[in-house]
Amino acid sequence: MKQFIYSYPTKVYFGDSAFEEMLKAEAEKMGEVVMLAYGGGSIKKTGLYDEITGALKKAGKRIVDFSGIMSNPTYAKVKEGIALAKKENVDFILAAGGGSVLDCCKIISAGAKTNEDIWTMQYEQHRFSTDFLPMGAVVTAFGTGAEMNNGAVITNEDLKQKSPLVGNFYSFAVLQPSYTMTMPMGQVISGAFDSLSHCMETYLGTPRTQNVSDDMNEAVQRNIIRNIYRTLDNPKDEEARSELIWDAAMAENGILKIGKVTDFQCHMLEHQLGAYTDCNHGRGLAVLHPVMYRHYLPEATEQFAGLAVRVWEVDPEGKTKQELAEAFIDELSAFIHKIGLPGTLKEMDITLSEDVKTKIAETAIRTAGCVKKFDTEELREILTECE
Ligand code: NZQ
Ligand code: ZN
């Protein structure tokens, strides 16, 4: 195990009356002016907006509305939120949405406390914010686990870069499964696949020897797979959904990462695919994963073989490690197909020009824990194989 310090800043309110329980405990700590941040309007359609604003007003809060946070949030939207938070002297940010809303607010929370440009600070001066507006999250779309970490994935449209920025941690997260029952099924599945991807990207990090985090990781992967099938069988199964919500949080609350440097190279390539195409994150990962994993052979043979047997229940009898490793990738591909996710860029209606492929491959961040060190040419090949 690598050296680590473990402590977690986010308090989780989970279950049927999570929002109510959160308000009882947290309302007083929020201060007077609460910025309610949300996306394109699903919370208005579902009635959650009225529920939240009603409760906040009852608790004596002045509400500042910040709406229209788009999927794959842009840095321009972050800056709009920072300006509003400053203008209205906001005391607390309450983010209600999925990963996009939650990520956008992490950087608003940092930007509201400084006159410096956060992107320049982090990417040119290599400095990180230390002063933040406090914030809480009400999760309406699960999968990213964004409520459990302080990383935000933001698209800088001027630079054509979709990249991580370090922001604030949520002081609390409301995980109330009933709030997620209106998610479109496509988003449920792409979100759950994103959680599975987070597990795999963590598992494949270094050191590549099996530790307790990896054993727990395998259990979370099995649970995600089982509950994706359950949810597809019965979209109204709130119990299955509640398992997927906690799986998403488990994949990103640091527990599975203890003692490891994570891989996350597939994510970095997908983010740049997103910078150029604005594609759905989980669907992009579904296309890239099996193709990239074939490039991880033979470096990850041992780990892939383990996943084949212990997660995908491949019978090891009479098979070599190499055959098992290949069986893992085949199982993953078949699963992606079975649950209705795309297997090619074409299925996502994406056509990349040769020039754009090169740009994506050049600008994708290379990660420290990656199974192999990719050069631009090999990442380009992966994109071509995804077509
Ligand atoms: O915008 P509204 O109208 O709210 O609609 C949203 C949006 O269209 C809708 N939705 C959310 N809750 C709903 C609902 N519709 C009906 N009922 C509900 N209860 O769902 C759509 C997608 O939402 P979005 O937040 O974009 O999806 P997701 O949670 O998958 O987040 C994706 C973003 O998170 C980043 C991705 O790159 C992407 O930008 N990620 C963040 C991570 C993190 N911070 O840890 C990790 C991930 O790897 C990922 O990169
Ligand atoms: Zn992800």
Side-chain angles (χ1 to χ4, degrees):
M1 294 280 279
K2 280 178 59 68
Q3 177 177 319
F4 68 89
I5 297 170
Y6 185 80
S7 157
Y8 229 68
T10 308
K11 182 166 177 175
V12 174
Y13 293 88
F14 187 98
D16 288 346
S17 54
F19 183 73
E20 203 185 313
E21 293 296 325
M22 175 282 288
L23 261 190
K24 273 192 249 162
E26 309 284 344
E28 221 167 283
K29 298 182 214 161
M30 290 180 194
E32 191 201 326
V33 187
V34 176
M35 181 160 109
L36 177 59
Y38 54 97
S42 71
I43 69 164
K44 289 204 167 157
K45 283 191 211 126
T46 61
L48 184 58
Y49 179 84
D50 290 340
E51 185 182 335
I52 295 177
T53 51
L56 288 178
K57 279 183 197 151
K58 211 166 149 198
K61 310 296 173 192
R62 176 163 80 81
I63 301 166
V64 174
D65 226 63
F66 182 53
S67 64
I69 301 173
M70 64 293 277
S71 283
N72 303 327
T74 62
Y75 193 50
K77 193 68 188 173
V78 169
K79 289 203 270 194
E80 188 188 321
I82 292 172
L84 183 65
K86 284 181 177 170
K87 178 169 163 263
E88 299 287 349
N89 286 317
V90 165
D91 295 311
F92 190 88
I93 304 171
L94 188 63
S100 297
V101 171
L102 270 50
D103 278 2
C104 187
C105 291
K106 290 174 189 172
I107 309 306
I108 296 173
S109 153
K113 288 287 197 174
T114 177
N115 289 325
E116 293 190 75
D117 179 69
I118 304 287
W119 196 284
T120 311
M121 252 175 84
Q122 296 197 12
Y123 281 104
E124 288 176 24
Q125 299 159 3
H126 310 289
R127 292 187 297 116
F128 299 102
S129 308
T130 50
D131 196 13
F132 299 103
L133 261 188
M135 47 177 212
V138 178
V139 174
T140 68
F142 61 88
T144 65
E147 65 279 11
M148 300 306 293
N149 62 43
N150 65 341
V153 188
I154 303 295
T155 302
N156 187 322
E157 291 176 299
D158 298 337
L159 302 177
K160 278 275 184 212
Q161 196 75 36
K162 183 177 179 187
S163 297
L165 286 174
V166 179
N168 196 6
F169 277 98
Y170 283 94
S171 55
F172 63 78
V174 171
L175 300 179
Q176 185 158 329
S178 59
Y179 291 166
T180 70
M181 297 308 288
T182 50
M183 281 170 77
M185 193 44 108
Q187 182 62 35
V188 170
I189 300 306
S190 73
F193 186 80
D194 186 23
S195 308
L196 182 66
S197 164
H198 294 167
C199 291
M200 296 189 296
E201 299 254 48
T202 299
Y203 189 90
L204 290 169
T206 55
R208 270 179 211 101
T209 44
Q210 190 86 6
N211 69 13
V212 58
S213 309
D214 298 319
D215 285 352
M216 290 194 281
N217 188 325
E218 289 173 0
V220 177
Q221 290 189 49
R222 285 195 296 272
N223 193 279
I224 293 171
I225 295 161
R226 189 165 69 241
N227 284 292
I228 285 180
Y229 283 134
R230 256 178 92 182
T231 303
L232 280 169
D233 275 351
N234 177 10
K236 296 203 172 95
D237 186 341
E238 202 169 309
E239 193 52 39
R241 203 161 294 203
S242 73
E243 299 256 330
L244 289 173
I245 294 169
W246 187 239
D247 286 329
M250 273 301 292
E252 279 302 311
N253 67 6
I255 300 257
L256 304 185
K257 300 181 186 185
I258 284 177
K260 303 193 66 123
V261 178
T262 60
D263 181 309
F264 273 82
Q265 188 61 59
C266 193
H267 263 67
M268 295 305 133
L269 188 59
E270 194 287 329
H271 287 163
Q272 275 315 86
L273 180 67
Y276 281 85
T277 65
D278 197 27
C279 64
N280 173 281
H281 175 60
R283 289 168 67 80
L285 290 170
V287 173
L288 292 174
H289 259 304
V291 174
M292 186 175 266
Y293 281 178
R294 292 201 195 276
H295 285 251
Y296 277 11
L297 289 167
E299 286 86 348
T301 304
E302 188 71 33
Q303 284 172 298
F304 284 172
L307 287 175
V309 177
R310 294 190 294 272
V311 172
W312 296 93
E313 297 175 355
V314 174
D315 181 0
E317 187 66 29
K319 295 190 185 70
T320 63
K321 282 267 161 72
Q322 173 73 19
E323 285 166 342
L324 285 173
E326 284 170 14
F328 155 68
I329 304 174
D330 292 342
E331 289 286 334
L332 182 64
S333 280
F335 175 70
I336 287 166
H337 180 72
K338 244 191 269 176
I339 64 176
L341 287 174
T344 60
L345 292 174
K346 196 164 171 231
E347 287 171 57
M348 293 177 73
D349 292 324
I350 291 176
T351 312
L352 302 176
S353 69
E354 294 306 311
D355 182 43
V356 167
K357 268 192 268 179
T358 304
K359 284 192 177 130
I360 292 173
E362 271 172 0
T363 54
I365 293 172
R366 309 309 200 255
T367 62
C370 184
V371 165
K372 73 188 286 190
K373 296 285 159 244
F374 284 115
D375 57 20
T376 298
E377 199 39 52
E378 194 168 1
L379 288 183
R380 232 184 145 283
E381 268 170 39
I382 289 173
L383 291 169
T384 303
E385 288 161 23
C386 286
E387 287 176 339

